[in-house]
Amino acid sequence: MKILALDSSGLVASVAVAEDDNLIGEYTVNYKKTHSQTLLPMLDVITNMIDLDLDTVDAIAVAKGPGSFTGLRIGSATAKGLGLALDKPIIEIPTVDGLAYNLWGAKDLVCPLMDARRNQTYTGIYAFEDDQMQVLEPQCAVDITQIVEKLNERGRSVIFLGDGVPVFRAYLEEHVQVPYSFAPSHMNKQRAGAVAALAFTYLKNGQTVSAADHQPDYLRLSQAERERKEKEARLPGDAGV
């Protein structure tokens, strides 16, 4: 089985192709260009580099969210377009799960942290047991204080990773009461290779959707939507309605 994987959910843009247990190619860029500038050219480069006929791909995996609203839309639109054009199913990988999968086999708990602004983080808590990833706390958008409290309650060593680490590092160093460490640079951001590897588990279990049905999962309202709701809540009601 062959999977094409995409992740543009955060600062990183990443494309990978994997066949069974073999990662054939991966192209990851963490630079200031927008994903609209990078993702399709990266896909073109990697398909040419490994002589990939896209018709031979069995499924397209994509980080479905949460993450950057713009990044998710670009990744989902790319996956959806390819799926429709090639008549291939989509494998929707929760972004935080895919990020945690970078540390497959870790003995400590794994806690990805993505910066969601307003002192919030997209996060979750994971453990690797019996050659499987266990989701102890499903991905969520919470205040950094909440996830730290949950980690302290569990009383186990933890590894942090993700673009939220530099944002929240000072808070973590002051408030985390269990032994902790930070993942090294080659493991601490989104990678399409991890999305592809996790996608094989989904594919074996029949967890796919049609390209037509695929939608990104933002997990929370956009800033514009939040501000609109806050404004509406402050407006006085219309007595005559």
Side-chain angles (χ1 to χ4, degrees):
M1 302 296 285
K2 189 181 295 180
I3 289 177
L4 168 65
L6 309 170
D7 194 329
S8 59
S9 59
L11 299 176
V12 170
S14 189
V15 179
V17 178
E19 186 169 12
D20 299 324
D21 291 329
N22 185 27
L23 181 61
I24 302 173
E26 184 178 34
Y27 190 166
T28 300
V29 173
N30 182 15
Y31 194 59
K32 55 190 176 183
K33 291 184 179 179
T34 64
H35 296 327
S36 61
Q37 294 175 288
T38 57
L39 197 62
L40 284 175
M42 290 166 61
L43 175 60
D44 186 55
V45 168
I46 201 170
T47 53
N48 288 329
M49 187 66 69
I50 64 175
D51 298 322
L52 176 67
D53 179 355
L54 288 173
D55 283 324
T56 66
V57 168
D58 294 289
I60 298 163
V62 63
K64 74 167 185 174
S68 157
F69 282 64
T70 301
L72 290 176
R73 283 192 287 266
I74 292 169
S76 286
T78 302
K80 196 179 189 78
L82 288 169
L84 289 170
L86 300 170
D87 193 24
K88 305 294 182 180
I90 304 294
I91 304 173
E92 300 175 324
I93 300 298
T95 299
V96 182
D97 291 24
L99 188 51
Y101 213 69
N102 280 331
L103 300 184
W104 189 93
K107 295 181 180 179
D108 297 337
L109 295 179
V110 174
C111 182
L113 297 172
M114 296 174 64
D115 182 17
R117 308 296 175 87
R118 294 189 172 190
N119 209 45
Q120 285 201 326
T121 177
Y122 299 124
T123 187
I125 301 176
Y126 304 82
F128 292 90
E129 300 171 358
D130 301 324
D131 292 334
Q132 291 186 340
M133 184 172 74
Q134 307 294 328
V135 181
L136 305 182
E137 292 284 345
Q139 66 174 23
C140 54
V142 297
D143 192 274
I144 186 62
T145 60
Q146 294 176 257
I147 197 66
V148 168
E149 288 174 3
K150 290 183 178 182
L151 289 168
N152 288 338
E153 289 171 0
R154 288 185 176 274
R156 290 179 56 182
S157 299
V158 59
I159 305 172
F160 293 104
L161 73 159
D163 61 35
V165 167
V167 177
F168 301 114
R169 185 163 185 151
Y171 184 87
L172 298 174
E173 291 174 343
E174 184 176 352
H175 293 91
V176 175
Q177 299 170 2
V178 296
Y180 65 89
S181 59
F182 300 106
S185 60
H186 66 296
M187 294 178 171
N188 69 2
K189 299 290 191 305
Q190 286 92 333
R191 287 183 55 188
V195 171
L198 182 54
F200 278 107
T201 301
Y202 279 62
L203 188 59
K204 290 175 183 175
N205 294 332
Q207 293 174 270
T208 66
V209 299
S210 69
D213 290 337
H214 168 65
Q215 295 291 335
D217 180 8
Y218 299 115
L219 204 61
R220 68 175 192 176
L221 297 175
S222 69
Q223 181 176 346
E225 291 172 314
R226 291 196 304 271
E227 290 175 351
R228 178 176 59 80
K229 284 185 174 293
E230 290 170 1
K231 183 178 180 180
E232 290 174 349
R234 292 194 298 267
L235 293 174
D238 292 328
V241 177

